[in-house]
Amino acid sequence: GLGGQFWSVYTPVEMQGQTAVTATLEQIDIVHRMVRKYPEAFELALTADDIERIHKSGKIASLVGMEGGHSIDSSLADLRMFYRLGARYMTLTHTANTPWADSANGPVAHHGLTPFGEDVVREMNWLGMLVDLSHVSDDTFWDTIETTTKPVIASHSSARALCDVPRNMSDDMLRAVAENGGVAMVNFGGSFLDPR
């Protein structure tokens, strides 16, 4: 009964610069090759209409989501090219800061988004790419909410009130996502659900 699936293209934060860009390209290529190899099961979806059409055909609409802004090597051109290859969301950070945004796991470096980080959010809005707030610091979260003109997502963030870890979202953050028209999805990793 699954209608759609975001395939996360994940590049470890230890990979930086052109190495991260190349690894992300290779991960996106895997999604494209999987869709080509199993056309009876999967079809690449680039729009909401694609998702509905593909689901009605009995296939799984396959979308690409990027895990971590380090994948673009601080380049809006790279961001635009990843969008052209099918990426429809990007998590602004992963388990470490980028040169333009603080992660929930890293030391405070920027106190949220830098001016270039704001440009990244605006470019994603212009492209029609979802801004993913999982993994970001609280300051980055609030800067993004102030900057974005489109609904955001938290692709895998749980409730901090239930499990108090920095990666989870406070009630105020969850309310802000709702007011923005966005969606917060639950991370099913045990350490994000149970404080023990």
Side-chain angles (χ1 to χ4, degrees):
L2 180 66
Q5 167 74 43
F6 266 107
W7 302 100
S8 288
V9 294
Y10 166 69
T11 303
V13 295
E14 293 77 21
M15 291 184 176
Q16 294 289 319
Q18 189 57 46
T19 303
V21 173
T22 300
T24 304
L25 286 169
E26 290 171 351
Q27 290 288 308
I28 291 173
D29 180 61
I30 290 170
V31 175
H32 283 261
R33 286 186 292 122
M34 180 186 67
V35 167
R36 187 177 68 213
K37 185 171 182 176
Y38 302 103
E40 71 289 349
F42 303 120
E43 186 175 335
L44 190 67
L46 302 175
T47 66
D49 287 343
D50 284 349
I51 296 167
E52 291 183 10
R53 175 184 52 76
I54 293 165
H55 179 56
K56 285 178 184 171
S57 76
K59 297 179 187 180
I60 297 172
S62 296
L63 300 106
V64 175
M66 294 171 59
E67 279 287 312
H70 62 288
S71 297
I72 66 168
D73 190 26
S74 297
S75 167
L76 295 178
D78 286 349
L79 176 68
R80 289 187 286 269
M81 292 302 102
F82 284 132
Y83 180 83
R84 285 188 176 189
L85 293 173
R88 291 301 182 262
Y89 84 73
M90 183 176 73
T91 310
L92 296 181
T93 66
H94 201 258
T95 57
N97 297 340
T98 66
W100 43 270
D102 286 338
S103 166
N105 298 92
V108 174
H110 315 295
H111 298 280
L113 291 175
T114 68
F116 180 77
E118 293 172 0
D119 288 344
V120 170
V121 170
R122 284 190 282 269
E123 190 69 15
M124 291 173 73
N125 286 170
W126 180 80
L127 288 168
M129 183 183 245
L130 293 165
V131 177
D132 184 4
L133 294 172
S134 291
H135 290 284
V136 303
S137 71
D138 289 9
D139 287 341
T140 300
F141 174 92
W142 291 112
D143 285 354
T144 303
I145 290 294
E146 288 181 19
T147 303
T148 189
T149 58
K150 306 286 184 183
V152 297
I153 64 168
S155 65
H156 52 301
S157 294
S158 299
R160 197 176 290 172
L162 300 176
C163 184
D164 190 13
V165 296
R167 267 272 284 105
N168 287 346
M169 300 174 77
S170 70
D171 287 354
D172 286 345
M173 295 164 91
L174 291 167
R175 278 190 284 276
V177 169
E179 289 168 10
N180 162 267
V183 177
M185 294 166 265
V186 174
N187 182 337
F188 285 104
S191 61
F192 300 103
L193 298 172
D194 187 342
R196 286 178 270 150

